[in-house]
């Protein structure tokens, strides 16, 4: 049985103790500037290496692709908060199911608006897949994300509900067949 088929994993997460959240919030406040500085330094290093080796990229596309891949591997993790980080809204609204209900509806609504937007010539296609992170639904559980998303035309993808709920826009297959 896949993780996304096990109903026991779709319940709301337990409410975390206020003291633990406060400590995590303080650590997040201290860590965030360090993470931003690391990201800026890494970007500056990649730009400097790119400028210095510009002559190599003229002759070798594999070098350029390797440089871009390594840039993605370094900068992508630095652009995301670690799972232990706690934001101010999470600290204030821990255990508030109405807050998480509204947060899920807002997040799924945004993805639905993006996915259902008409395709414009010369622009990338609207997204057909999305992932709703645990921090957005922890007070309601993954089952609520699946309910809201299903009502708006999304289908569930294989997912680990302890981290995120992955969705696929089902209207995309019908739209691709028409155009």
């Amino acid at each position: 049985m896949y993780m996304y088929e096990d109903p026991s994993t779709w319940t709301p997460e337990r409410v975390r103790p206020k003291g633990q959240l406060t400590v995590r919030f303080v650590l997040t406040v201290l860590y965030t500037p360090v993470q931003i500085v690391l990201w800026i330094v890494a970007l500056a290093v990649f730009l400097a290496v790119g400028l210095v080796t510009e002559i190599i990229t003229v002759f070798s596309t594999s070098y350029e692709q390797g440089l871009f891949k390594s840039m993605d591997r370094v900068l992508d993790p630095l652009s995301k908060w670690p799972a232990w980080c706690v934001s101010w809204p999470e600290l204030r609204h821990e255990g508030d199911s109405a807050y998480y209900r509204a947060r899920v509806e807002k997040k799924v609504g945004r993805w639905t608006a993006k996915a259902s937007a008409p395709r414009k010539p010369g622009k990338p296609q609207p997204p057909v897949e999305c992932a709703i992170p645990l921090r957005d639904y922890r007070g309601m559980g993954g089952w609520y994300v699946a309910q809201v998303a299903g009502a708006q035309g999304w289908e569930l993808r294989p997912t680990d509900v302890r981290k995120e709920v992955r969705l696929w826009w089902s209207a995309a297959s019908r739209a691709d067949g028409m155009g």
Side-chain angles (χ1 to χ4, degrees), residues 12 87 99 106 112 116 127 130 132 134 137 172 174 179:
S87 66
Y99 168 76
K106 183 177 178 182
T112 302
S116 63
C130 73
I132 310 294
L134 174 64
Y137 64 82
R174 290 188 291 271

Side-chain angles (χ1 to χ4, degrees), residues 86-107:
V86 174
S87 66
W88 178 249
E90 286 176 306
L91 179 63
R92 287 185 47 224
H93 296 288
E94 182 71 18
D96 182 4
S97 60
Y99 168 76
Y100 283 102
R101 187 177 304 117
R103 195 168 177 169
V104 165
E105 291 168 0
K106 183 177 178 182
K107 188 72 124 181

Side-chain angles (χ1 to χ4, degrees), residues 10 26 71 104 122 132 147 171:
W10 290 84
V26 169
M71 189 186 316
V104 165
I132 310 294
Q147 281 183 332

Side-chain angles (χ1 to χ4, degrees), residues 16-148:
R16 299 172 286 185
K18 199 70 161 177
Q20 177 189 19
L21 285 176
T22 305
V23 169
R24 285 184 177 189
F25 177 72
V26 169
L27 291 173
T28 301
V29 169
L30 296 174
Y31 172 75
T32 301
V34 173
Q35 183 178 7
I36 291 169
V37 168
L38 284 174
W39 189 88
I40 291 171
V41 167
L43 180 63
V45 166
F46 278 112
L47 288 176
V49 168
L51 288 173
V52 170
T53 60
E54 181 66 29
I55 194 75
I56 297 172
T57 61
V58 171
F59 300 110
S60 172
T61 58
S62 63
Y63 175 80
E64 186 177 21
Q65 291 171 353
L67 186 65
F68 286 142
K69 283 182 184 177
S70 60
M71 189 186 316
D72 285 344
R73 283 191 202 123
V74 171
L75 293 179
D76 280 352
L78 286 175
S79 66
K80 297 176 183 149
W81 261 5
W84 59 264
C85 286
V86 174
S87 66
W88 178 249
E90 286 176 306
L91 179 63
R92 287 185 47 224
H93 296 288
E94 182 71 18
D96 182 4
S97 60
Y99 168 76
Y100 283 102
R101 187 177 304 117
R103 195 168 177 169
V104 165
E105 291 168 0
K106 183 177 178 182
K107 188 72 124 181
V108 173
R110 272 196 214 139
W111 278 108
T112 302
K114 287 179 187 177
S116 63
R119 184 167 185 237
K120 297 175 183 169
K123 299 277 183 168
Q125 289 185 349
V128 295
E129 287 193 52
C130 73
I132 310 294
L134 174 64
R135 95 173 47 248
D136 289 333
Y137 64 82
R138 75 175 294 117
M140 287 303 296
W143 65 269
Y144 187 71
V145 176
Q147 281 183 332
V148 170

Side-chain angles (χ1 to χ4, degrees), residues 112 115-116 125 128 149-155 168-179:
T112 302
S116 63
Q125 289 185 349
V128 295
Q152 295 185 24
W154 292 91
E155 292 179 8
W168 179 72
W169 183 246
S170 58
S173 60
R174 290 188 291 271
D176 288 344
M178 294 169 51

